[in-house]
Amino acid sequence: MSRELYERRHPHFPDKVWVVIEQPPHEPKRYRYVSERGEFFRTDDDSLAYLRGFSGAYGWIAGTGTPPGVHFDALVLTIAEPRPGEVVEAAVAGMFFMASGDHKFVTVDVEAGETFGPPEWERLTPQSRAELRALYPDVRDGEGWHGSGRAKFHLLEVEPTHD
């Protein structure tokens, strides 16, 4: 996929987004993106998603910036095995609002159909919500899981502030 797509928003933003995959599913080591070279590399660091049992992918929302600069992160519920740098079309289902500003948007790969339930936090399958909650088990004051309405509003109205 062209790196130019990393900079463009989906034509149906914020209902649908393109997620640039940084961390593939089932990968025990963390990947990083080197923007100067446009390359992904596997590090020796452990993947939090893998350690906490998340079976989906992780990346950033195209058109909101790119690592290591400010951008919006995305958790992707998917049955596919996308590799680093691949772009997945996904529907926005919700978000984990973090006090630090490093919010995580919950998305559902459009190719997965109804596998995870409709793309709305409250309507995702109990197993999907449990996997996502296990990623961030310590919810502090001012933090929490929210549905697609708040997530889409945030994508439209708030600029990313966290890298």
Side-chain angles (χ1 to χ4, degrees):
M1 195 64 64
S2 168
R3 281 179 50 196
E4 294 164 6
L5 185 58
Y6 295 2
E7 300 299 325
R8 293 196 338 238
R9 290 185 176 182
H10 191 285
H12 299 288
F13 186 89
D15 297 315
K16 290 186 180 172
V17 294
W18 283 313
V19 179
V20 180
I21 302 302
E22 185 171 14
Q23 185 67 35
H26 314 294
E27 171 58 52
K29 295 299 180 183
R30 187 168 179 191
Y31 277 77
R32 292 206 189 275
Y33 178 63
V34 179
S35 60
E36 298 82 25
R37 296 193 331 240
E39 296 176 356
F40 294 82
F41 70 96
R42 188 175 192 252
T43 72
D44 291 329
D45 299 328
D46 291 332
S47 163
L48 176 69
Y50 180 82
L51 292 174
R52 295 198 177 159
F54 180 60
S55 62
Y58 181 84
W60 73 86
I61 297 175
T64 67
T66 58
V70 294
H71 60 280
F72 282 135
D73 292 326
L75 302 162
V76 185
L77 297 170
T78 183
I79 55 176
E81 295 285 333
R83 302 302 309 154
E86 287 184 36
V87 177
V88 172
E89 182 182 25
V92 174
M95 70 184 294
F96 183 63
F97 190 87
M98 297 181 79
S100 67
D102 191 16
H103 314 305
K104 308 301 180 194
F105 290 85
V106 176
T107 66
V108 179
D109 182 347
V110 298
E111 297 294 320
E114 293 288 314
T115 304
F116 303 101
E120 172 54 53
W121 174 253
E122 294 83 9
R123 297 181 68 201
L124 294 174
T125 64
Q127 178 182 345
S128 297
R129 287 195 315 270
E131 274 193 34
L132 289 160
R133 283 187 178 118
L135 280 169
Y136 305 103
D138 301 320
V139 179
R140 294 180 269 164
D141 286 342
E143 295 185 333
W145 295 95
H146 299 279
S148 63
R150 179 152 184 197
K152 292 172 189 177
F153 173 82
H154 201 87
L155 286 169
L156 280 174
E157 301 297 329
V158 180
E159 291 295 320
T161 59
H162 200 278
D163 52 358

